[in-house]
Amino acid sequence: MEVRSATFSMQEVNEPVALFLFEDDLSNLDFLGELKEAVKRLLEVENFKGKEESLAKVSLLVGDVVRVFYAVGLGKKDRTGEDSYRIASALLAKKARKDRVKSLYLFAGKLNYRLSKAITEGAILGSYRFDKYKTKKEEENSTELESLHIHGADEEGIRVGRVFAEAQNFTRDIVNEPGNVINPISLAELAQKVAQEHGLECRVYDEKEIQEMGMYALWSVGKGSATPPRFVHMVYKPEGEPKEKIAIVGKGLTFDSGGLNIKTGDYMRTMKMDKSGACAVIGIMKALAQLKPRVEVHGIFGAAENMPSGTAYRPDDIIRAMNGKTIEIDNTDAEGRVTLADALSYASNLGVSRIIDMATLTGACMVALGEYTAGLFTNDDAFGDELLEISKLTGERMWKLPMDDRRLREKIKKGEGDVLNSGGRYGGAITAAMFLEEFVGEGIKWVHLDIAGPAHLREEFAYYSKGGTGYGVRTCLEYIMKLSEK
Ligand code: BES
Ligand code: MN
Ligand code: ZN
């Protein structure tokens, strides 16, 4: 889709015109000039009030042409943020597709860099669909919006918004690929291909090298599968001295059957999404190559498939991770944290000042926060608060959960190893985060995002469709861009 900044008046265009309108303040309708009153009355008939996530289509005969208008609600003026524009733009793109509108003109009021970026992101995210496996495409009754002309938009906002949204859609594409297509080997190959295309460094370690590095945690989780595990390290380096050096780590379970502690059917369904963190890492690295921030970023993930078999790791196994700590396996279905033990140990050896990890780690996090909000855990409140602040702009909801409960921490210290891979039912998202903290190097600022809920959706809404969401890509990119400007 083409997104452009344009200056146009009602007289100059014949295509459908869209307007973003605030609730109880339809002043943006002034743009319509002499057509304003007529459109206003037609919107009243449609009961359109400018409420958040509302959309109305009205048509009007002007001379001998039928003019089509889309009104999209932003919500109350004092309560709208840039995500309101992102959502409005996505709803508009979705509606345009249904109506087979190929070209649209949009008046959204006075636009700065941030709002232009948000509108662009919304349009590109809202146009996303994963239908490559539909033999018969639904093209007959829908076509993608081909060009969006935004009145008075900021060109740089459009450019950056496109990079952000395309990286997120790319991540969604990989998440949505099933386990028979994306396995640890093909996921690592995909990362390598992205790196090659964008001039990034990328090193892939095979199962032999994984053992040589002492990554017995990752190796153990992967050894039950017919496809062996891989470890992937991508690097983006800016020209000149970087402002900071950080790592983004993702959980990369290409399928999670639970292993010997096998999941029942209902819970196993959708577990192709258990690689969402790793997919976000790949999407972020791809975008960084285009955005060129002055920050050195290491993108890291272990890729494995958690399967039950004669070679699978077992409950009771005691495994040594790369940093020397031993892990006793209580439950083979708590496998993500085991693979992350090695990924975090590795990342800690790179001389980075900060690590962000993203993982579809626990069902418990979804019980705590619902499926639309990620859990945020940190060993540095200021770092955590920075991400929380950014997430208010990006619309990627996250909420901080506590790490200071010493008695709860005891639950993963029981048993015969240094740590136990499950702390039981209560506070399951927190004990999982506490487990991860054991593998973060001294003095490194760390944020863990449990994205089990928002990484994948059962039904579409706002700028999301059913399936993978690419959650985390925009918030991490925004944070890195901010570091670059410091
Ligand atoms: N990948 C799952 C977590 C998950 C659940 C992600 C639902 C998305 C939706 C993880 O590996 C897992 O199985 N966690 C267990 C941990 C338990 C065995 C301690 C869980 O949450 O039940
Ligand atoms: Mn699991
Ligand atoms: Zn898992």
Side-chain angles (χ1 to χ4, degrees):
M1 188 205 316
E2 199 185 7
V3 182
R4 277 209 199 143
S5 176
T7 24
F8 57 88
S9 68
M10 283 307 297
Q11 287 74 37
E12 291 166 282
V13 295
N14 285 314
E15 282 96 334
V17 170
L19 298 146
F20 285 2
L21 302 168
F22 294 109
E23 187 172 348
D24 303 329
D25 170 7
L26 304 184
S27 56
N28 279 351
L29 281 178
D30 291 345
F31 182 74
L32 299 179
E34 56 192 13
L35 298 179
K36 176 184 171 176
E37 279 310 313
V39 171
K40 197 173 168 186
R41 288 176 60 182
L42 288 169
L43 287 175
E44 276 164 20
V45 174
E46 294 295 318
N47 204 18
F48 178 86
K49 298 211 165 61
K51 282 197 167 44
E52 209 177 351
E53 301 199 28
S54 69
L55 189 149
K57 177 188 181 183
V58 296
S59 317
L60 184 63
L61 192 62
V62 182
D64 54 0
V65 263
V66 177
R67 303 292 320 254
V68 177
F69 300 93
Y70 290 99
V72 195
L74 291 170
K76 290 224 164 60
K77 197 167 189 171
D78 54 349
R79 293 182 61 187
T80 54
E82 65 175 68
D83 204 46
S84 316
Y85 286 77
R86 198 176 283 114
I87 293 170
S89 174
L91 294 182
L92 180 63
K94 285 182 179 179
K95 177 71 172 154
R97 180 199 285 280
K98 282 204 193 91
D99 291 353
R100 311 180 69 171
V101 170
K102 289 197 171 166
S103 175
L104 257 180
Y105 283 77
L106 168 66
F107 179 77
K110 198 170 154 35
L111 299 176
N112 55 17
Y113 166 84
R114 297 245 22 123
L115 294 183
S116 305
K117 175 171 171 289
I119 291 173
T120 306
E121 288 170 356
I124 294 171
L125 294 172
S127 299
Y128 178 82
R129 51 172 54 191
F130 185 74
D131 58 4
K132 64 185 278 201
Y133 293 109
K134 289 266 183 223
T135 311
K136 199 164 157 275
K137 297 273 186 284
E138 285 169 38
E139 266 151 28
E140 293 97 66
N141 46 31
S142 70
T143 14
E144 200 194 319
L145 176 63
E146 280 168 13
S147 56
L148 177 65
H149 308 262
I150 313 171
H151 194 277
D154 178 82
E155 300 280 359
E156 182 65 2
I158 293 175
R159 186 188 72 84
V160 174
R162 170 177 294 282
V163 175
F164 273 51
E166 283 177 352
Q168 184 169 350
N169 283 351
F170 182 77
T171 296
R172 292 159 102 173
D173 267 338
I174 325 171
V175 172
N176 287 331
E177 288 289 352
N180 61 321
V181 176
I182 292 288
N183 56 43
I185 295 179
S186 56
L187 186 62
E189 281 170 357
L190 201 153
Q192 196 128 50
K193 185 168 154 246
V194 168
Q196 253 155 27
E197 281 170 7
H198 291 87
L200 300 165
E201 291 171 36
C202 181
R203 174 89 203 265
V204 174
Y205 298 87
D206 66 17
E207 69 273 28
K208 192 164 151 270
E209 294 165 309
I210 285 171
Q211 291 172 77
E212 282 163 8
M213 287 192 289
M215 292 186 169
Y216 284 97
L218 170 62
W219 181 73
S220 296
V221 170
K223 75 195 174 86
S225 168
T227 316
R230 290 289 181 265
F231 185 78
V232 179
H233 179 188
M234 306 170 83
V235 192
Y236 162 76
K237 280 191 180 134
E239 276 177 35
E241 197 52 34
K243 293 264 169 85
E244 209 167 324
K245 208 173 145 178
I246 72 163
I248 312 280
V249 176
K251 169 174 170 180
L253 267 289
T254 61
F255 189 74
D256 178 14
S257 71
L260 289 175
N261 290 105
I262 197 161
K263 288 180 188 291
T264 51
D266 271 1
Y267 289 99
M268 203 186 295
R269 190 82 166 108
T270 73
M271 277 303 141
K272 65 171 182 179
M273 61 75 95
D274 214 17
K275 59 185 180 307
S276 297
C279 298
V281 168
I282 301 174
I284 289 165
M285 297 309 290
K286 181 181 159 83
L288 292 177
Q290 299 162 68
L291 297 166
K292 304 195 194 310
R294 297 187 58 179
V295 181
E296 183 173 314
V297 183
H298 296 260
I300 285 158
F301 62 89
E305 185 182 40
N306 189 20
M307 294 295 250
S309 77
T311 58
Y313 81 135
R314 324 156 181 77
D316 295 352
D317 281 2
I318 301 175
I319 302 158
R320 194 177 297 278
M322 192 188 187
N323 74 345
K325 290 193 184 176
T326 57
I327 302 165
E328 182 178 353
I329 303 303
D330 175 62
N331 189 320
T332 62
D333 198 10
E335 83 299 331
R337 65 197 75 179
V338 180
T339 66
L340 285 163
D342 281 334
L344 290 168
S345 303
Y346 180 98
S348 297
N349 289 339
L350 298 171
V352 296
S353 54
R354 296 171 197 271
I355 298 174
I356 299 174
D357 82 65
M358 286 176 284
T360 47
L361 206 62
T362 68
C365 197
M366 300 167 72
V367 174
L369 299 173
E371 66 258 65
Y372 311 113
T373 303
L376 180 145
F377 305 82
T378 186
N379 62 3
D380 185 277
D381 286 333
F383 186 18
D385 291 346
E386 271 185 287
L387 281 170
L388 287 168
E389 215 39 61
I390 288 168
S391 84
K392 286 181 194 153
L393 298 177
T394 61
E396 296 186 318
R397 293 179 56 86
M398 44 185 82
W399 198 260
K400 187 153 86 182
L401 291 170
M403 298 278 290
D404 63 349
D405 190 336
R406 278 171 28 238
R407 251 173 287 276
L408 195 57
R409 197 177 283 265
E410 285 306 310
K411 304 219 171 172
I412 57 159
K413 294 291 176 69
K414 290 181 186 140
E416 285 144 30
D418 297 325
V419 266
L420 201 55
N421 86 324
S422 161
R425 240 161 82 79
Y426 300 121
I430 298 174
T431 49
M434 288 169 168
F435 176 98
L436 297 184
E437 196 177 12
E438 296 286 327
F439 302 90
V440 176
E442 274 296 309
I444 299 175
K445 293 174 180 159
W446 162 75
V447 165
H448 157 57
L449 296 174
D450 191 330
I451 61 171
H456 191 272
L457 298 172
R458 283 168 203 275
E459 74 292 310
E460 68 161 335
F461 67 86
Y463 36 76
Y464 292 130
S465 52
K466 191 169 168 281
T469 58
Y471 180 98
V473 169
R474 280 183 297 108
T475 300
C476 286
L477 286 176
E478 205 69 72
Y479 178 71
I480 294 166
M481 296 312 280
K482 216 177 141 201
L483 278 183
S484 173
E485 283 152 22
K486 267 186 186 162

